Amino acid sequence: MESTEPGRGGLVASLTHHYDDLVGYVGRRFGDADFARDVVHEVCADLLDRPEPAGVREPLAFLRRVLRNRAIDRRRGDAVRARLAETLAGRTIQAGHEDAATHLRGMQATDALAAVILALPDRARQVFILHRLYGMPQSAIAGELGLSLNAVAKHHAQAVRRIREQWVP
């Protein structure tokens, strides 16, 4: 019988045994050896923390799929964070007669807001950005991210709550 205790099954053993091959696999697909090691370590930590899924017949194929999906998620998250930073950096105060101190305070407030948004949990950040910055309806976000409408509303509320708690304009 397979163990479902965290870190006690064949997946961790397979990951350990095939570590170099798996790092090479991710590195070849995504072109960055450091990124590949980070992804493999992240997946290993998840395997150690969570119960192993039952019924995995091909541990190496399963690990490759998990690593590829995690790497894709990380790259998408990096791209979203970069777009957010560009969007927020491009929004300067357009008042023609303001003084330098007011402009500086506005830029600092914008930077502080960007830091709070970037620190949000992944799903909350995705939902917030899609809804508030891109104007996407919550129903469309639910379809795009494969979430229920209630989950989208929950993530958006979480994002707004954290921003209100952590950002002082």
Side-chain angles (χ1 to χ4, degrees):
M1 180 188 233
E2 291 183 42
S3 170
T4 57
E5 289 184 35
R8 300 275 187 239
L11 289 177
V12 173
S14 290
L15 188 140
T16 304
H17 182 68
H18 297 286
Y19 175 82
D20 291 329
D21 294 334
L22 292 170
V23 168
Y25 169 75
V26 175
R28 282 187 302 278
R29 289 197 62 132
F30 294 90
D32 184 352
D34 291 332
F35 173 77
R37 279 189 289 281
D38 287 346
V39 169
V40 172
H41 292 170
E42 199 175 289
V43 168
C44 183
D46 285 350
L47 290 173
L48 290 170
D49 285 343
R50 297 183 184 146
E52 221 175 83
V56 175
R57 292 185 193 138
E58 297 289 332
L60 191 55
F62 179 81
L63 287 170
R64 282 190 177 132
R65 173 65 61 102
V66 169
L67 289 167
R68 184 181 59 110
N69 290 344
R70 179 65 58 91
I72 289 169
D73 288 347
R74 292 261 319 255
R75 288 290 193 208
R76 284 179 181 163
D78 292 346
V80 166
R81 282 187 285 281
R83 281 195 308 270
L84 173 64
E86 286 175 19
T87 300
L88 291 175
R91 292 184 181 201
T92 58
I93 299 171
Q94 298 296 323
H97 53 5
E98 67 180 297
D99 63 3
T102 303
H103 181 72
L104 179 61
R105 280 193 301 275
M107 293 301 294
Q108 289 171 336
T110 301
D111 290 345
L113 176 60
V116 170
I117 293 171
L118 291 173
L120 290 171
D122 287 340
R123 283 292 185 197
R125 184 180 59 249
Q126 286 176 324
V127 168
F128 181 81
I129 289 170
L130 290 173
H131 186 61
R132 292 291 178 101
L133 294 181
Y134 292 103
M136 197 174 204
Q138 289 188 359
S139 58
I141 294 170
E144 180 73 25
L145 298 179
L147 299 172
S148 69
L149 192 54
N150 287 340
V152 171
K154 180 189 85 166
H155 288 304
H156 185 263
Q158 177 190 24
V160 170
R161 184 177 59 252
R162 284 197 180 189
I163 292 168
R164 283 184 181 153
E165 291 170 356
Q166 297 175 6
W167 183 61
V168 179

